[in-house]
Amino acid sequence: RARRMTRTNQGALVGCSLSSGAVRTNAGDVPVVTVGGRPTKVRLVRLWEVEDPAFRNAVADVFQSVWPSRKGECVAIRRGTHDPAKKPTPLVLVSVDGSGVDTTPRVLGYTIVYPSSAMKRPEGSTKTGECANCTLNSVLVPFELRGAGIGAVLVKLAARVAVTELGFECVTAWCQPRLVKFYETCGFAYEPPKRKNKSATGTATKKDALWAKLLNLEVGDGDGYGDGDGDGDKPSSSPDSSDDELDECMRMFVENRTEDLPKA
């Protein structure tokens, strides 16, 4: 029986056992981050393999605090209505106590791995054909825990799971311009934007206008999208920034699954 969930200012706390949803790591390869001034061991768990409603609620509360506009995904987390057959894999970064048993794990971060369109291999690849690609979506760390390196551990561990356990050879992340350097430190490479074409109707789309803003091109004939339309003029730190904001593409191609992945 799940214990009553409590909260602290170091992320949501929940009393339950998460052994059933653990993501395996190599022996001795358990990352340590600083939480509340204390070294804390962390690991990833697959959200949908944990049946405890208290844990799902704790994750949903953190998700809602960071992404209040993404109500559909928040409801799915809380209700556990995700369909594993569609193959997205939600991952939660949690704390692990000294004995390795998750008695009161803290929700330290979250992301979901989505299968994406196959990618052409980069120049110089030793392999032929396209490679399986996935996207890290809804990457988040609670506001009060930022600045301690938790986000980097979350992204690196998620990329490792995507490659070593889910079979992808390319991991993609879309981010705001201010986060390009962060993803580069996590082992991703920046992919410059390509020139966007007009839509099939000949009218430039909103996204076309956003790309044009970056590339200093002129598209469309008065599409009417000005300041305040979610094109990045809104403070990038706002958690409810429009999903239409211009994102930067970061990719990690992995040729050798044991050597090319960054250490967490």
Side-chain angles (χ1 to χ4, degrees), residues 20 28 32 42 49 53 57 73 89 91 97 130 133 138 151 153 158 190 239 259:
S20 62
V32 177
V42 298
E49 293 181 5
N57 283 331
E73 188 169 351
T89 305
L91 300 170
D97 71 9
E130 295 182 326
N133 174 39
S138 300
V153 171
Y190 176 66
E259 297 179 2

Side-chain angles (χ1 to χ4, degrees), residues 47-48 56-57 59-82 110 114 137-138 140 239-243:
L47 177 62
W48 307 117
R56 292 200 306 269
N57 283 331
V59 177
D61 288 344
V62 171
F63 185 93
Q64 186 175 28
S65 71
V66 177
W67 299 110
S69 63
R70 299 187 182 183
K71 297 180 180 179
E73 188 169 351
C74 185
V75 170
I77 292 172
R78 201 176 299 279
R79 295 181 178 177
T81 55
H82 170 74
Y110 170 93
Y114 278 101
N137 197 23
S138 300
L140 68 87
D240 59 345
S241 304
S242 169
D243 287 336

Side-chain angles (χ1 to χ4, degrees), residues 32-38 141-153 182:
V32 177
V33 300
T34 300
V35 178
R38 297 180 179 180
V141 171
F143 292 111
E144 66 273 11
L145 296 178
R146 296 179 183 181
I150 295 175
V153 171
F182 164 77

Side-chain angles (χ1 to χ4, degrees), residues 65-141:
S65 71
V66 177
W67 299 110
S69 63
R70 299 187 182 183
K71 297 180 180 179
E73 188 169 351
C74 185
V75 170
I77 292 172
R78 201 176 299 279
R79 295 181 178 177
T81 55
H82 170 74
D83 181 6
K86 295 182 179 179
K87 297 184 178 179
T89 305
L91 300 170
V92 186
L93 188 70
V94 298
S95 61
V96 183
D97 71 9
S99 65
V101 178
D102 303 286
T103 53
T104 54
R106 286 171 174 160
V107 178
L108 305 178
Y110 170 93
T111 187
I112 184 167
V113 181
Y114 278 101
S116 302
S117 300
M119 291 294 301
K120 180 181 179 181
R121 297 182 186 277
E123 293 185 9
S125 173
T126 58
K127 299 182 180 180
T128 59
E130 295 182 326
C131 62
N133 174 39
C134 69
T135 300
L136 300 185
N137 197 23
S138 300
V139 179
L140 68 87
V141 171

